[in-house]
């Protein structure tokens, strides 16, 4: 303690002389300058507390006594007026001084570590602090820890009310910001240096965390330094630890000399402090670091803590100034419970473990991670194999270069050529009995519509365009409806022809080409109307499917109205069912002129193909949907060609002797 005569009296810790020198220099300057305090001389007394309450009590009695004897309340001997006491001791000792000075209403000015008890003006009305009313800068320490990625820390504080208060207030703030407490320990405040508790030594030598946040007063700091010095003599040396403490922490020179194996940070808010509301007590909020002699840092300004527009505090640090010591290999030390998950991996919280002790799991398909959290790629991108980068998706459609596209195009071309040859053969032999007996006009119409249906399948191949999307479904639906209508007209014509031969039957008037034409035209017009309505209300259009196939953008034709699409397919199915029913009923008519059996088999194939088409079409995605429909078109047309026209071509080309009127009449008699 220091005592000032005639002017003021102060109490200052005399443990370290470097605390006293600036004060002595200031006293000397004031006393030598007559302009500052004319006719007044400042005096002082210095008292050492030795961290001992009894010594503090005796020093305070001597301070209050004006005579040679330590008898307070008597004015004799020395003529000095005690105006104030400057106190830099720990608060436990400072409170004892305040209790005695309070009787005399002597101001007590504290510049030491701020504690929560300092705020109690009812209990300590004459204590005045040289720092603003504040809480320890917990937020500044948290920002510092987060800046360097130190999320696995230890807490050390004195074993008293202040230490418990610090741990209980700092820990929730740290946890709220994603920092986990690996351990928390207390430094005994009693004389335990001769035989330190094993519990104290255990947490000082632990290797769970590389960063320790320390809060303490002078006594606990001194005990901590001695304990560390004692540990250095054992095999459990504490090397490679970063110690972070508050700006008001009293780090004496002896403590620095003890901590040769430590990287000690003294984080401070230069001229500003965080008050009870979390606000800064002053502007331009600078963070300074005071470091031990082991660092080439000294007290240079390396960062700034600023309030942003959203009332948050942002910490910026110039890391180029920082030179880490050799035991860190001059690189940033790490202090995490779990190493950071690499690119392509995400954090997974382990049940029952702190949030900092997490596992790592690969990101799901279509997502990437660069900082431990997976996030999806844009719709037109996909994750690469390592899940650390989004790459553009590949466009995909049923093209002529695909193996599947080549096969389907070859089959369509082969069947088209085959149908064209069949049409040419029937035109060549159009005057023969076999061709004339089965209504050659309908045969030509059927073959032409089948040929156009096969050619329409090429509209389904290649990159979808507006024109191809508009034409492919509607053109196929109308043309193929003409083909089925032609088959229906053939079957109905045969039924009417044999029915009209009976005496008195009125069906005779329906015989002729007009009946067949009416059936084909009327049945086809219905499909034309369906397609016109389809194109009018919701026409097909080119579309891109971004989600069906991972890593691919499927270019396809959106059918627009699904109702109209299935209506067109349903109408063709309706015609096929009617045709199959009529042909099945007419299968027992005389076979020489009757195609009913052949049409029955062809419609059976047709119905089987398209009944299988619906569930298969609905269960596939992308270009395979298009492939299924092309295959269904080719299969159904192949069935019609195989069942109806191949047998007749066999007669026309290979068995011409069967292609006579006499032979057909003989077959007709045999069938009756």
């Amino acid at each position: 303690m220091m005592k000032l005569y005639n002017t003021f009296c102060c109490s200052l810790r005399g443990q370290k002389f470097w605390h006293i020198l600036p004060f002595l220099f200031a006293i000397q300057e004031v006393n030598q300058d007559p302009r500052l305090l004319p006719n007044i001389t400042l005096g002082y007394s210095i008292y050492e507390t030795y961290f001992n309450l009894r010594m503090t009590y005796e020093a305070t009695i001597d301070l209050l006594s004006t005579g040679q004897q330590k008898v307070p309340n008597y004015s004799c001997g020395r003529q000095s007026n005690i105006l104030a006491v400057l106190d830099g001791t720990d608060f436990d000792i400072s409170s004892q001084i305040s209790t005695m000075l309070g009787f005399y209403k002597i101001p007590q000015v504290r510049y030491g570590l701020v504690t929560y008890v300092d705020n109690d003006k009812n209990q300590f009305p004459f204590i005045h602090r040289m720092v603003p009313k504040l809480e320890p800068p917990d937020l500044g320490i948290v920002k510092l820890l987060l800046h360097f990625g130190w999320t696995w820390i230890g807490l050390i504080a004195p074993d008293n009310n202040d230490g418990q208060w610090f741990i209980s207030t700092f820990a929730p703030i740290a946890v709220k910001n994603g920092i986990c407490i690996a351990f928390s320990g207390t430094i005994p405040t009693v004389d335990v240096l001769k035989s330190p508790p094993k519990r104290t030594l255990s947490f000082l030598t632990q290797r769970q965390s590389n960063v320790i946040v320390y809060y303490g007063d002078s006594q606990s700091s001194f005990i901590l330094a001695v304990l560390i010095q004692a540990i250095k003599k054992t095999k459990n040396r504490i090397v490679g630890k970063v110690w972070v403490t508050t700006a008001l922490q009293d780090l004496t020179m002896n403590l620095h000399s003890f901590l040769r194996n430590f990287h000690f940070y003294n984080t401070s808010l230069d001229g500003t402090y965080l008050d009870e509301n979390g606000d800064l007590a002053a502007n331009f909020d600078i963070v300074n670091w005071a470091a031990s002699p082991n660092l080439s840092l000294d007290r240079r300004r390396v960062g700034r803590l600023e309030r942003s527009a959203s009332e948050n505090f942002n910490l910026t640090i110039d890391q180029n100034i920082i030179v880490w010591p050799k035991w860190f290999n001059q690189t940033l030390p790490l202090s995490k419970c779990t190493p950071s998950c690499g690119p392509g991996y995400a954090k997974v919280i382990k049940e029952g473990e702190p949030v900092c002790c997490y596992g790592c799991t690969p990101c799901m398909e279509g997502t990437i991670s660069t900082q431990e959290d997976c996030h999806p790629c844009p719709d037109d991108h996909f994750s690469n194999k390592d899940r650390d980068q989004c790459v553009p998706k590949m466009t995909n459609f049923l093209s002529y270069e695909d193996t599947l596209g080549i096969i389907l195009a070859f089959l369509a071309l082969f069947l088209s050529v085959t149908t064209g040859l069949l049409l040419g053969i029937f035109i060549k032999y159009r005057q023969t009995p076999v061709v004339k007996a089965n209504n050659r006009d309908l045969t030509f119409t059927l073959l032409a519509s089948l040929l156009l249906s096969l050619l329409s399948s090429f509209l389904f191949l290649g990159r979808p365009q507006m024109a191809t999307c508009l034409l492919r479904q509607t053109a196929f639906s109308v043309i193929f409806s003409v083909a089925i209508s032609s088959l229906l007209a053939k079957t109905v014509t045969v039924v009417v022809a044999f029915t009209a031969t009976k005496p008195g039957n009125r069906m005779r008037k329906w015989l002729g080409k007009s009946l067949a034409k009416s059936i084909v035209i009327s049945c086809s017009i219905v499909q034309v109307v369906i397609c016109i309505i389809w194109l009018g209300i919701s026409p097909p259009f080119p579309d891109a499917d971004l989600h069906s196939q991972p890593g691919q953008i499927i270019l396809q034709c959106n059918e627009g109205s699904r109702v109209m699409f299935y209506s067109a397919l349903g109408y063709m199915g309706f015609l096929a069912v009617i045709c199959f029913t009529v042909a099945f009923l007419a299968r027992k008519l005389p076979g020489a002129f009757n195609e009913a059996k052949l049409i029955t088999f062809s419609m059976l194939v047709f119905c089987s193909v398209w009944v299988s088409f619906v569930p298969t079409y609905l269960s596939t995605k992308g270009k395979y949907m298009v492939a299924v429909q092309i295959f269904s078109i080719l299969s159904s047309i192949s069935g019609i060609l195989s069942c109806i026209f191949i047998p007749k071509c066999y007669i026309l080309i290979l068995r011409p002797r069967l292609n006579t009127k006499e032979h057909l009449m003989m077959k007709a008699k045999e069938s009756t």
Side-chain angles (χ1 to χ4, degrees):
M1 291 184 292
M2 281 188 181
K3 181 178 181 182
L4 292 172
Y5 300 101
N6 299 327
T7 305
F8 65 88
C9 179
C10 67
S11 170
L12 180 66
R13 175 179 43 210
Q15 175 193 345
K16 301 302 168 208
F17 197 63
W18 67 283
H19 274 191
I20 303 174
L21 288 179
F23 175 74
L24 297 179
F25 177 77
I27 294 294
Q28 183 180 357
E29 290 295 313
V30 171
N31 287 337
Q32 290 179 354
D33 192 340
R35 294 172 299 177
L36 296 178
L37 294 175
N39 300 323
I40 297 177
T41 301
L42 300 179
Y44 56 86
S45 292
I46 301 175
Y47 293 88
E48 174 63 81
T49 62
Y50 298 100
F51 303 126
N52 187 281
L53 292 178
R54 180 177 178 180
M55 296 295 294
T56 302
Y57 175 78
E58 292 180 357
T60 306
I61 293 295
D62 183 71
L63 179 69
L64 296 174
S65 302
T66 58
Q68 298 297 327
Q69 301 296 324
K70 295 181 180 179
V71 181
N73 297 331
Y74 284 87
S75 178
C76 59
R78 294 175 295 182
Q79 299 297 321
S80 60
N81 297 322
I82 301 177
L83 299 182
V85 173
L86 182 60
D87 172 21
T89 63
D90 303 333
F91 191 79
D92 289 342
I93 296 177
S94 180
S95 61
Q96 299 297 325
I97 300 173
S98 177
T99 300
M100 301 183 67
L101 296 180
F103 293 112
Y104 301 92
K105 298 183 179 181
I106 298 175
Q108 182 179 353
V109 181
R110 278 181 48 78
Y111 70 92
L113 183 69
V114 176
T115 65
Y116 74 102
V117 188
D118 284 340
N119 298 329
D120 192 352
K121 284 299 181 182
N122 294 325
Q123 186 177 358
F124 305 104
F126 299 103
I127 290 182
H128 304 278
R129 296 183 301 187
M130 295 178 62
V131 295
K133 183 180 179 181
L134 52 87
E135 301 292 344
D138 298 338
L139 184 58
I141 296 179
V142 168
K143 292 289 185 181
L144 176 69
L145 297 175
L146 292 176
H147 176 82
F148 289 111
W150 296 332
T151 57
W152 188 241
I153 66 169
L155 292 181
I156 295 181
D159 189 12
N160 55 25
N161 291 336
D162 286 341
Q164 295 174 3
W165 167 77
F166 172 75
I167 293 177
S168 63
T169 56
F170 179 81
I173 297 176
V175 172
K176 182 179 179 181
N177 287 272
I179 299 173
C180 299
I181 310 301
F183 70 94
S184 61
T186 57
I187 302 298
T189 56
V190 296
D191 189 9
V192 295
L193 300 182
K194 294 182 180 180
S195 58
K198 293 183 179 180
R199 178 179 61 85
T200 303
L201 295 179
S202 64
F203 71 74
L204 287 178
T205 57
Q206 61 80 37
R207 297 186 180 273
Q208 292 176 287
S209 173
N210 292 327
V211 174
I212 298 175
V213 177
Y214 172 66
Y215 172 89
D217 49 27
S218 300
Q219 182 179 6
S220 60
S221 299
F222 178 78
I223 295 175
L224 174 63
V226 175
L227 290 174
I228 292 174
Q229 186 70 7
I231 293 173
K232 287 174 59 179
K233 299 178 181 179
T234 66
K235 295 182 180 180
N236 296 321
R237 298 187 63 188
I238 314 174
V239 179
K241 301 290 185 182
V242 178
W243 291 68
V244 181
T245 186
T246 62
L248 300 179
Q249 177 61 50
D250 183 15
L251 301 178
T252 63
M253 291 302 294
N254 273 348
L255 185 57
H256 279 301
S257 65
F258 278 135
L259 301 180
R260 294 288 183 182
N261 290 330
F262 291 85
H263 189 168
F264 213 107
Y265 275 137
N266 185 344
T267 61
S268 66
L269 299 175
D270 186 15
T272 64
Y273 300 92
L274 300 175
D275 60 20
E276 296 89 341
N277 299 321
D279 297 325
L280 293 174
N283 295 325
F284 306 103
D285 311 323
I286 310 300
V287 174
N288 287 331
W289 290 352
S292 70
N294 293 310
L295 298 176
S296 58
L297 184 61
D298 299 330
R299 295 188 64 86
R300 288 179 288 174
R301 180 175 300 173
V302 297
R304 180 181 297 272
L305 183 67
E306 297 178 328
R307 185 200 296 269
S308 64
S310 60
E311 300 300 320
N312 294 322
F313 293 101
N314 298 321
L315 178 67
T316 56
I317 292 178
D318 184 3
Q319 297 190 178
N320 295 325
I321 299 178
I322 304 172
V323 179
W324 300 97
K326 60 182 180 180
W327 49 81
F328 291 132
N329 296 322
Q330 294 185 337
T331 58
L332 175 67
L334 300 178
S335 186
K336 292 186 175 182
C337 177
T338 302
S340 298
C341 295
Y345 289 82
K347 295 191 300 185
V348 177
I349 303 301
K350 296 181 179 179
E351 186 176 356
E353 296 287 339
V355 294
C356 302
C357 302
Y358 49 82
C360 297
T361 184
C363 289
M364 297 177 60
E365 196 174 59
T367 63
I368 64 168
S369 75
T370 54
Q371 296 181 347
E372 301 182 342
D373 291 320
C374 296
H375 57 86
C377 292
D379 287 341
D380 58 346
H381 284 67
F382 195 72
S383 58
N384 60 357
K385 182 179 179 181
D386 296 329
R387 306 287 196 271
D388 60 354
Q389 187 179 5
C390 289
V391 296
K393 290 182 178 179
M394 297 177 58
T395 57
N396 197 357
F397 55 91
L398 189 59
S399 66
Y400 291 99
E401 289 77 17
D402 288 340
T403 302
L404 182 59
I406 293 174
I407 294 174
L408 293 175
F410 173 77
L411 292 176
L413 182 61
F414 173 77
L415 291 175
S416 299
V417 173
T418 302
T419 305
L421 291 176
L422 290 175
L423 179 59
I425 292 172
F426 274 80
I427 292 176
K428 180 180 179 181
Y429 293 96
R430 64 184 180 276
Q431 299 299 334
T432 61
V434 170
V435 177
K436 295 172 63 176
N438 298 113
N439 198 331
R440 59 187 176 186
D441 292 337
L442 286 178
T443 300
F444 296 154
T445 302
L446 176 58
L447 285 172
S449 59
L450 291 178
L451 176 60
L452 292 176
S453 297
L454 288 169
L455 294 177
S456 69
S457 64
F458 288 99
L459 296 174
F460 292 83
L461 294 171
R463 191 183 188 94
Q465 304 291 338
M466 179 59 73
T468 56
C469 289
L470 288 173
L471 289 176
R472 67 180 193 177
Q473 296 291 358
T474 54
F476 168 73
S477 299
V478 172
I479 294 172
F480 205 65
S481 295
V482 173
I484 301 175
S485 300
S486 299
L487 289 175
L488 178 61
K490 275 177 167 287
T491 308
V492 172
T493 301
V494 172
V495 173
V496 172
F498 281 95
T499 305
T501 58
K502 297 179 180 180
N505 197 301
R506 298 181 180 180
M507 297 294 293
R508 188 181 299 272
K509 63 180 181 180
W510 293 101
L511 288 176
K513 296 182 179 180
S514 59
L515 175 62
K517 292 180 180 179
S518 300
I519 294 175
V520 173
I521 294 174
S522 60
C523 292
S524 301
I525 285 178
V526 175
Q527 186 70 288
V528 171
V529 172
I530 293 176
C531 291
I532 291 175
I533 296 174
W534 184 3
L535 295 176
I537 60 174
S538 182
F541 58 91
D543 194 12
D545 184 359
L546 302 175
H547 306 289
S548 295
Q549 298 293 332
Q552 296 182 357
I553 300 177
I554 305 299
L555 301 181
Q556 61 185 10
C557 287
N558 190 310
E559 307 304 346
S561 174
R562 307 290 290 184
V563 174
M564 300 307 299
F565 170 68
Y566 286 109
S567 297
L569 290 181
Y571 180 71
M572 287 190 291
F574 172 73
L575 291 179
V577 170
I578 294 178
C579 185
F580 172 78
T581 303
V582 175
F584 180 79
L585 296 176
R587 71 188 186 281
K588 294 183 179 181
L589 295 176
F593 304 97
N594 188 12
E595 290 182 304
K597 292 181 180 180
L598 302 179
I599 294 175
T600 301
F601 285 114
S602 65
M603 288 297 99
L604 183 62
V605 173
F606 176 88
C607 293
S608 300
V609 169
W610 287 97
V611 167
S612 302
F613 162 79
V614 175
T616 307
Y617 183 83
L618 294 176
S619 62
T620 54
K621 299 293 183 182
K623 64 180 182 180
Y624 297 104
M625 297 178 66
V626 181
V628 167
Q629 187 166 4
I630 296 176
F631 181 79
S632 299
I633 294 173
L634 300 181
S635 299
S636 57
I637 293 177
S638 298
I640 295 174
L641 293 176
S642 301
C643 294
I644 298 178
F645 295 102
I646 298 299
K648 294 181 180 180
C649 285
Y650 172 77
I651 296 175
L652 293 175
I653 298 174
L654 300 179
R655 303 292 297 274
R657 63 183 182 85
L658 301 179
N659 190 12
T660 61
K661 185 175 181 181
E662 293 76 11
H663 177 74
L664 293 178
M665 294 298 295
M666 183 179 64
K667 294 290 293 182
K669 292 179 180 179
E670 291 177 357
S671 62
T672 56

